[in-house]
Structures are given as C-alpha cells and as structure tokens.
Amino acid sequence: MIQQLYHNPDIYQIHVDLPDNPLKYLNSYVVKGPTRHLVIDTGFNRPECQAALCGGLRELDVDLSRTDLFLTHLHGDHSGLVGLFTAAGCPVYMNEIDYTYLCDEHAGQAWQFIEDTYMKEGMPPEDIKSQFTNQARRYSPRIDFPIHAVADGDVVRLADIDFHVIHTPGHTKGICCLYLPEQEIFFTSDHILFDITPNIQVWPNMSDSLDHYLESLEKVRSLPVKLALPGHRKGSTSIVGRIDEIKEHHRRRLNEVLSIAAAQPGSTAYDIAPHMTWSMRGKKWHEFPPTQKWFAMGETLAHIEYLLHHGQLRREEQGGLFRYYPV
Ligand SMILES: [Zn+2]
C-alpha cells in the first residue's frame, strides 16, 4: 500500500506489514528527487516484508541504481532488508554506533549480554530461551554491507535535498532522525511514535537509556514541525503535545516502579514487571507472549536503572540475583 504524503519534494509511504507483531506495520518512506531517490528504512528480513517493500518500490518506479538507503537505527524491522539495496549497489547511510552494535548482535555478543542480564534480574531460563524465536533476532539483516556513517548535525544531500541528521539516543544509542528545515518535515523513526509509546530498553552500550531518551525528547521539542513521519503507525502535524504525553507516561511508570518496590522490598525486576501497567488488551502477565515479556522486562529495567542513577532506588546482590529496595 502506497500513499503520497507530500508534493515537492515528493514523499511517499510504503506500508510494510509486520506479521504477528504488535507494531503492525513499518513505514518505509521514499523520497523521489529529479536525479536520485531516497528510501528510509526497510522492514524485517522476511518474505512478507520483502514482497510489500519491493511491490511498493516497483509501483513508484524507483530505480535502485539511483537510490540511497538511510537506516534510522539498528532494529531489524527498520534494517532487515538492507541486503536488497546493497546487492543493487545502493549507498547505505547509518549512524556508526548502531552499525557496530548490529555487527556485535550478529556475532551474538549483544544477545548474550542481555540474556546474562535478564538472568541476574530474575527472569526464568525458560523465558530467556524462548527468545531464540524473537522476530528481532530471526529477521535481522545479514551484516555484509559498508556504511556512510552519519552523525548529529550532519547535512546529507539525498534525493537532491539537504537532510539534517538529528541523533536522538534512547530508543537505541545510535538512532538518527531526519529533518527538512525548509518544509518543516520531521522523520521521527521510533524516537516519537504517535499512537503507541516507543520502547525503551536496557543496553550494553548505553547506561540509563531512559535518561538519554528524555533528553532526546527535549532536544527536538522546539523544532518547528508541520509534518511528523514516524517509523510505525500514523503521523501527525505536530510533536510537542505527543512529547509531553510520552514524558508523562514515563513519569507515571517511574512512580509505579517506586511504589511496587516500596510495597515489596527486595523484589527482583522480574517480580516488579508483572505489577506494572501494560497495554496488552486485558491479558494477565502469565498470558503475555514470550516476546512481550521480554520487552516488558527491558522496559521495567530501563525505569529501574533511571531510579538507581537518580538515587531513588537501591540495589543489592543476593545469591546471584539483583534485588531492589526503596531509598
Ligand atoms: Zn526500533
């Protein structure tokens, strides 16, 4: 499914279905310029996504020999089909931090770190094992591509227009958004989503990801925006209201963790997670699919880490497990 979102520059959205995934679909954006084209993000490395993306590119008559690919961040639903583009010789633009992590993830080091962390945080081994079927793990790209590294403040000429790169660490450490100042168009990737809340996890390469994330929301809050184009679901004509809602969401979450730890001192993160509020259509914790438990655990830990860093929670290691106490 294709939709034209803007004329001059001509910006299109290809709706890439993500089967069996609560995100539902990825927005792959195509900007068609007079001499070159730009594709932003791809979908998972799986046949359903490939069919949707290739169908869209064909319908838009995108000539890959005159196309650049921009990957906003490392997640497989954004980067999975990079191989289609590198096989056609397209230059790939991406932040180096996420590229390096993707290489480590491919080698298994990043996954191993998270498995070890979750074990210490009380997650049972059977829940950890179930992650071998995680879509992010199964449908990641093959890592055999070079990149043109982009960093905060870079101005990159793509599709015959100057795009401004804004580094917004939090959702991942290297996530970068693109901005067109003249048109006030902001490609927000998974930094700002409008009808779901971006997932904030713990990372081996970034301490206190939630603190970074909240700072990155502030960083873009005053940006003039007429059209915000997110990585998933629907866009918006402004960002300020949504940023304030997301900040409030995390403030509530932090208070929730504090009150659970106060009510049950000595809880592990895995004890705390089921008592938090999750929007899983009325499902109880034990009914959560393993992938959702995994994300919920990461999200809980990101909030715990924030509270530890801000001196609002205390951690003790007991018998190989981390337990949390109010200060
Ligand atoms: Zn993401």
Side-chain angles (χ1 to χ4, degrees):
M1 193 162 59
I2 292 170
Q3 207 187 339
Q4 181 155 11
L5 304 171
Y6 201 85
H7 293 273
N8 191 27
D10 292 335
I11 302 175
Y12 304 85
Q13 176 199 68
I14 303 177
H15 176 119
V16 180
D17 267 320
L18 304 173
D20 310 316
N21 191 300
L23 294 168
K24 294 192 179 156
Y25 59 91
L26 171 102
N27 297 318
S28 175
Y29 294 104
V30 176
V31 186
K32 289 192 77 178
T35 67
R36 289 194 71 80
H37 312 310
L38 167 68
V39 175
I40 303 172
D41 293 338
T42 69
F44 277 126
N45 184 16
R46 60 184 297 181
E48 299 88 339
C49 294
Q50 183 166 338
L53 182 67
C54 291
L57 293 173
R58 255 195 318 274
E59 210 175 308
L60 289 172
D61 200 19
V62 172
D63 173 2
L64 287 185
S65 71
R66 295 190 290 121
T67 298
D68 297 294
L69 176 68
F70 187 92
L71 297 177
T72 58
H73 64 295
L74 63 91
H75 282 148
D77 52 334
H78 294 255
S79 63
L81 290 168
V82 62
L84 288 180
F85 294 85
T86 52
C90 306
V92 180
Y93 293 78
M94 186 180 193
N95 182 277
E96 197 151 21
I97 301 166
D98 268 22
Y99 177 73
T100 305
Y101 191 93
L102 203 52
C103 296
D104 285 350
E105 191 177 55
H106 191 63
Q109 291 162 32
W111 283 101
Q112 189 58 52
F113 170 87
I114 294 175
E115 284 166 25
D116 294 346
T117 302
Y118 282 17
M119 192 83 88
K120 281 200 112 172
E121 302 288 352
M123 196 174 210
E126 60 272 21
D127 279 4
I128 290 175
K129 268 198 222 102
S130 66
Q131 287 316 308
F132 290 106
T133 58
N134 189 327
Q135 290 195 359
R137 191 166 191 161
R138 281 167 68 191
Y139 304 129
S140 273
R142 287 183 41 194
I143 305 301
D144 52 5
F145 60 96
I147 55 161
H148 294 261
V150 294
D152 191 47
D154 284 356
V155 178
V156 194
R157 192 147 184 96
L158 300 163
D160 307 297
I161 328 167
D162 287 338
F163 281 86
H164 291 228
V165 175
I166 307 177
H167 180 210
T168 55
H171 178 71
T172 67
K173 192 174 182 185
I175 184 171
C176 286
C177 301
L178 286 176
Y179 182 60
L180 292 171
E182 199 181 311
Q183 295 80 5
E184 300 183 358
I185 297 175
F186 187 23
F187 295 87
T188 66
S189 182
D190 288 356
H191 181 47
I192 304 170
L193 300 173
F194 292 88
D195 56 358
I196 46 175
T197 312
N199 176 262
I200 306 300
Q201 292 281 320
V202 281
W203 292 90
N205 65 349
M206 170 170 52
S207 76
D208 204 349
S209 53
L210 179 57
D211 199 40
H212 284 285
Y213 179 65
L214 295 172
E215 254 178 46
S216 295
L217 286 178
E218 264 328 294
K219 179 177 181 176
V220 299
R221 196 174 178 281
S222 58
L223 212 58
V225 172
K226 286 194 182 125
L227 182 60
L229 300 175
H232 304 277
R233 312 281 184 98
K234 295 211 162 33
S236 177
T237 50
S238 65
I239 56 168
V240 174
R242 184 59 187 148
I243 287 176
D244 292 344
E245 280 172 12
I246 295 173
K247 282 165 65 181
E248 174 59 18
H249 163 87
H250 289 294
R251 197 192 56 75
R252 276 200 310 273
R253 272 276 155 93
L254 290 165
N255 284 335
E256 227 175 4
V257 172
L258 279 179
S259 54
I260 297 165
Q264 300 168 343
S267 293
T268 64
Y270 192 77
D271 297 329
I272 291 172
H275 297 287
M276 294 180 57
T277 311
W278 305 108
S279 53
M280 281 293 292
R281 293 194 206 96
K283 279 198 177 128
K284 301 231 163 44
W285 177 258
H286 69 271
E287 298 168 317
F288 276 29
T291 310
Q292 289 315 306
K293 274 193 188 171
W294 184 268
F295 280 118
M297 186 72 177
E299 184 102 19
T300 304
L301 279 170
H303 288 80
I304 287 175
E305 199 179 18
Y306 180 97
L307 293 166
L308 287 172
H309 275 240
H310 289 77
Q312 293 175 270
L313 208 61
R314 187 168 62 78
R315 182 169 79 179
E316 275 184 26
E317 190 173 353
Q318 297 168 11
L321 286 181
F322 288 134
R323 298 191 174 276
Y324 297 95
Y325 297 87
V327 174

